[in-house]
Amino acid sequence: MTTKKQRQQMVAKKTESEKIRILKIMRDAEIYTLTLDPLIESYLDIFEIYQTMYMEWKEKGFPVTQRHTNKAGATNNSKHPLAQQVETWSDKKTKALDFLGLTNKAKAGKIVTGGSSVRKDEELERPKAVVDELAAHRNKWRKS
């Protein structure tokens, strides 16, 4: 078991290393601008909260459920609050990364892989549609 102060120091170290990592990735990808600083700070706040919740949940042994006794005296299993919090903050962390453009989801439509086989001085011609016998027969009877 770690103390609260030790956990805070560990989270601060992880947050600082995450900031360095994010900035390095963004500079290498040439997507960093000063206008993204507020988003980066927001992401780091989310990351810090996520790490805090995750460390507490880890220290408790990653319990998925906890037992809860209601007013009537019945005991039920319910989802552990830390498990819910880690899940929630993980989703928020992913959304923040998406806003920063650091997920592959944002890049999928923009990147074209492979080069074109057409030279720049050539025009690309579309192939003519091939009409098979069945389609020709259908068209013949639809027009009448």
Side-chain angles (χ1 to χ4, degrees):
M1 285 297 265
T2 58
T3 63
K4 189 174 182 179
K5 189 165 189 146
Q6 289 172 333
R7 274 197 306 264
Q8 287 175 344
Q9 290 172 347
M10 289 169 48
V11 167
K13 254 194 248 180
K14 286 185 180 188
T15 304
E16 186 60 33
S17 65
E18 181 70 4
K19 179 179 181 180
I20 293 167
R21 186 181 78 87
I22 291 294
L23 289 174
K24 181 182 181 321
I25 290 170
M26 292 180 80
R27 286 186 182 127
D28 290 347
E30 297 178 357
I31 58 174
Y32 175 76
T33 60
L34 287 175
T35 57
L36 291 176
D37 280 348
L39 277 176
I40 293 171
E41 290 300 319
S42 177
Y43 167 74
L44 291 173
D45 291 341
I46 291 169
F47 180 81
E48 184 176 356
I49 294 168
Y50 168 79
Q51 282 296 323
T52 304
M53 297 291 175
Y54 181 80
M55 290 177 82
E56 286 180 31
W57 191 39
K58 182 178 179 181
E59 284 183 359
K60 292 188 178 197
F62 297 115
V64 179
T65 60
Q66 72 176 8
R67 299 183 69 73
H68 173 71
T69 305
N70 61 16
K71 290 180 182 177
T75 303
N76 302 318
N77 283 333
S78 63
K79 192 169 183 179
H80 198 280
L82 286 174
Q84 288 176 335
Q85 289 294 317
V86 167
E87 181 182 351
T88 301
W89 286 101
S90 177
D91 291 341
K92 289 181 182 187
K93 190 173 80 154
T94 304
K95 285 180 185 175
L97 284 172
D98 191 30
F99 286 140
L100 289 171
L102 297 176
T103 59
N104 58 356
K105 185 170 39 170
K107 303 262 184 200
K110 298 179 184 175
I111 295 176
V112 177
T113 58
S116 173
S117 61
V118 179
R119 293 191 314 260
K120 291 184 181 187
D121 58 344
E122 274 186 309
E123 283 192 33
L124 182 63
E125 292 181 21
R126 293 190 179 263
K128 295 187 176 159
V130 178
V131 180
D132 62 346
E133 291 178 39
L134 182 59
H137 181 72
R138 286 181 184 149
N139 289 337
K140 174 184 164 188
W141 288 104
R142 287 184 183 154
K143 290 179 184 177
S144 299

